[in-house]
Amino acid sequence: MKRNSQKLRKLMALVMATVLCLFTVAGCGDSGNKDTNQGSSEKTPGTENTGGDSSSSGKKKIGMIWYGNTDAMGGTFYAWANHAAEVLDIELVWKLGSYTTADELTDCENLISAGCDGIYFIPMDTAANLQLGNACQDAGVYWSMSNRQIADPDILATCEANPYFAARIYDNSYDICKEMVKVLADQGITKVCMLSGDPTDAMMMDRNKGFEDGCKEYGVEILATSQLVSGDASANVDSANNFLTLYPNMEGMLVASGTAGVGEAIMTALNASGREKGSVKVAAFDTFEGNQQAFEDGWLAASCGGYTTECLVSFLALVNAVEGNATNDKVMEMSLSPLLITSAEDMEIFSQYVDNPEVQLYSDDLIKSLVAPGLTVEDYQKVLDNWSMDYVKEAVGI
């Protein structure tokens, strides 16, 4: 009996050992599948994929630091870049919603840790170029930016010495502002007031200077200047009302930016002024809500907008560098002139087709042609120079 009891204990021990071994093997098999890289070019907004580097899927991975995808330009570039990623078979990792240099730097460091081969961003200020650029250089990761000029010469020199700085593109605000003054001058306007931009902002400095030099060149007198207040409609209405009251001979108004409620505020003031519609002509940088009606009423003579091309070209130049196709050892510097809009008809086309996430204005063939060996800065600048209302019309079949 005792001998049978010993046999039974040995048998039970063997069964338990076998069961434990099976659980151990199963556990090891599960742990290897917890982190997977889906290899998808489009991510859920505000999330990131940290499942591995680009070598795990065979695709290059680009980190996209972007302010958001809910407005017209933000949503359009989000759609354009995701489409280009599919065409080029690369992976995008999006970081949305950062509005400070500190947040952008954190995003950049996280994206580098996630295995990104390149980083694209719009800098929140000049320092962002230096800080994110240094992070990319330390990691051996290419980077590019758009929509901002680097005003500080020392920071610019440091950035341009960074061997991983692929491309920088900025708005040609100066020339387009001169063009808008010419539009007014061609309509016989000789006396204007000006709502200027922040003189400490490099982009606004270019716009202010463009208006001022345009007035000198085309014989237009600036009667008075007041600095616009972004986001404060009442302050901008007051400025427009002061112009209308103090300068009854004012024939036109130059506006450095119509966004953040500024354009709407000016139209409110003009419509309440008692002046005949169209008796004051406005040239406003950037589009705004109600600009179609403003053109039809005769108040608005010139406007401009459309910057997504700039974002796309900077992004594609970055992809080209990541793919090992860079042909020079210095950053490619380029600029884009936004679309000049001078009629209600063009404004309608702009509103329908430009900065519309549902409309891809650049063909797959053109996208592929901008990621290839042997490309130069002139090749990319040619695409930027071709940006016009005529190009938009042709692209959509008008």
Side-chain angles (χ1 to χ4, degrees):
M1 188 73 178
K2 184 176 180 180
R3 196 172 299 154
N4 290 338
S5 177
Q6 288 176 344
K7 288 182 178 180
L8 182 60
R9 282 198 297 267
K10 288 181 179 179
L11 180 61
M12 290 298 294
L14 180 61
V15 171
M16 290 298 295
T18 302
V19 171
L20 286 172
C21 182
L22 288 173
F23 272 114
T24 302
V25 172
C28 290
D30 288 343
S31 65
N33 293 322
K34 285 182 179 177
D35 294 321
T36 58
N37 194 327
Q38 299 299 317
S40 171
S41 64
E42 184 169 351
K43 305 297 175 189
T44 302
T47 67
E48 62 178 297
N49 186 340
T50 59
D53 59 23
S54 58
S55 62
S56 64
S57 65
K59 295 183 179 183
K60 296 297 184 182
K61 184 186 290 188
I62 306 296
M64 308 292 288
I65 302 173
W66 191 238
Y67 67 90
N69 61 356
T70 58
D71 70 325
M73 176 179 162
T76 299
F77 179 58
Y78 185 79
W80 283 13
N82 282 326
H83 177 74
E86 292 179 3
V87 171
L88 300 170
D89 194 29
I90 61 173
E91 181 180 350
L92 304 187
V93 186
W94 290 92
K95 281 289 189 178
L96 304 178
S98 292
Y99 290 93
T100 67
T101 293
D103 287 342
E104 286 195 318
L105 180 59
T106 298
D107 288 344
C108 180
E109 291 169 343
N110 288 337
L111 289 167
I112 290 172
S113 296
C116 288
D117 304 289
I119 304 291
Y120 163 83
F121 66 101
I122 290 181
M124 289 299 107
D125 58 35
T126 299
N129 296 288
L130 185 61
Q131 295 184 33
L132 273 69
N134 286 340
C136 289
Q137 183 173 357
D138 291 342
V141 169
Y142 284 104
W143 60 288
S144 73
M145 49 81 73
S146 66
N147 300 89
R148 295 290 185 272
Q149 179 62 284
I150 303 178
D152 187 297
D154 294 330
I155 292 179
L156 176 59
T158 301
C159 289
E160 289 188 329
N162 186 326
Y164 291 92
F165 195 1
R168 70 183 188 95
I169 307 179
Y170 53 89
D171 307 338
N172 185 1
S173 301
Y174 176 83
D175 286 341
I176 203 71
C177 283
K178 287 185 66 176
E179 281 296 311
M180 286 196 284
V181 174
K182 185 178 185 301
V183 170
L184 295 186
D186 288 346
Q187 295 184 26
I189 305 299
T190 60
K191 298 181 186 299
V192 299
C193 289
M194 177 173 156
L195 268 176
S196 64
D198 182 354
T200 66
D201 182 293
M203 180 175 64
M204 289 299 181
M205 287 169 59
D206 283 346
R207 295 182 187 184
N208 294 344
K209 192 74 164 55
F211 280 145
E212 292 164 358
D213 288 355
C215 286
K216 291 176 183 176
E217 183 171 340
Y218 299 112
V220 177
E221 180 185 358
I222 299 178
L223 300 173
T225 299
S226 179
Q227 186 173 321
L228 62 83
V229 183
S230 181
D232 189 338
S234 62
N236 297 310
V237 168
D238 288 344
S239 293
N241 284 332
N242 287 338
F243 290 156
L244 290 163
T245 302
L246 298 175
Y247 302 96
N249 58 339
M250 178 185 69
E251 302 164 330
M253 198 180 302
L254 303 174
V255 184
S257 176
T259 60
V262 176
E264 294 92 329
I266 292 169
M267 293 305 136
T268 296
L270 289 171
N271 284 318
S273 68
R275 293 204 185 190
E276 182 183 351
K277 284 186 176 181
S279 59
V280 175
K281 300 292 184 182
V282 176
F285 206 102
D286 297 327
T287 58
F288 55 88
E289 189 70 26
N291 44 27
Q292 178 76 34
Q293 188 63 49
F295 268 114
E296 293 173 359
D297 290 342
W299 296 120
L300 192 58
S303 183
C304 66
Y307 307 94
T308 314
T309 291
E310 181 176 343
C311 308
L312 182 68
V313 170
S314 178
F315 163 69
L316 293 175
L318 171 64
V319 174
N320 203 46
V322 166
E323 293 286 1
N325 295 328
T327 57
N328 55 1
D329 57 357
K330 62 180 181 179
V331 59
M332 291 192 290
E333 177 186 347
M334 295 163 275
S335 65
L336 174 81
S337 293
L339 300 176
L340 180 63
I341 307 160
T342 58
S343 68
E345 292 75 23
D346 279 353
M347 190 70 250
E348 185 175 3
I349 293 171
F350 181 96
S351 300
Q352 187 171 354
Y353 298 109
V354 179
D355 286 345
N356 181 345
E358 302 299 321
V359 179
Q360 294 284 339
L361 291 176
Y362 289 96
S363 69
D364 292 0
D365 287 342
L366 188 141
I367 290 171
K368 291 176 183 177
S369 74
L370 294 178
V371 179
L375 293 172
T376 66
V377 64
E378 288 78 18
D379 294 313
Y380 291 104
Q381 186 63 56
K382 183 178 179 181
V383 176
L384 296 168
D385 291 343
N386 199 35
W387 182 234
S388 65
M389 288 302 300
D390 287 340
Y391 174 86
V392 174
K393 293 174 184 177
E394 182 177 351
V396 299
I398 296 178

